[in-house]
Amino acid sequence: MTAAADGVRRARSGDAVTVLQASFPFNGEDFALFLRDVPGAMFFLGVANPEAGLNGTPHAPDFGADERALGLGVRAMAGCLAGRLTTSS
């Protein structure tokens, strides 16, 4: 997870990244059930843009995403994968 955060930090300022560990309320997420059996991590990509009127909250009736965040998400995942490739097992 640190590699993914580092990938975004390189693309943006460091204060644009927040790493949460089981502190965000994922009440409706079933992903935790998979994590009981298989190690993994869930990434939450912030896509809100209040200035543009985009809420960014999934499943909300007024959901809207700032699509510029998608590039950051791709860089974060690429950073995570690159970190895994360079880490010895």
Side-chain angles (χ1 to χ4, degrees):
M1 179 156 29
T2 302
D6 289 342
V8 175
R9 283 188 182 108
R10 282 191 297 275
R12 304 277 295 200
S13 65
D15 62 344
V17 177
T18 303
V19 176
L20 305 173
Q21 296 187 13
S23 62
F24 197 85
F26 293 113
N27 302 3
E29 279 299 333
D30 294 335
F31 188 73
L33 298 176
F34 295 111
L35 295 180
R36 289 182 184 171
D37 298 321
V38 180
M42 181 174 184
F43 293 85
F44 181 80
L45 178 63
V47 295
N49 183 344
E51 292 83 23
L54 300 171
N55 177 345
T57 305
H59 310 295
D62 59 344
F63 172 76
D66 186 342
E67 293 182 3
R68 294 177 296 173
L70 298 178
L72 289 173
V74 169
R75 286 193 290 277
M77 292 308 299
C80 182
L81 293 172
R84 295 289 295 165
L85 290 173
T86 59
T87 303
S88 60
S89 325

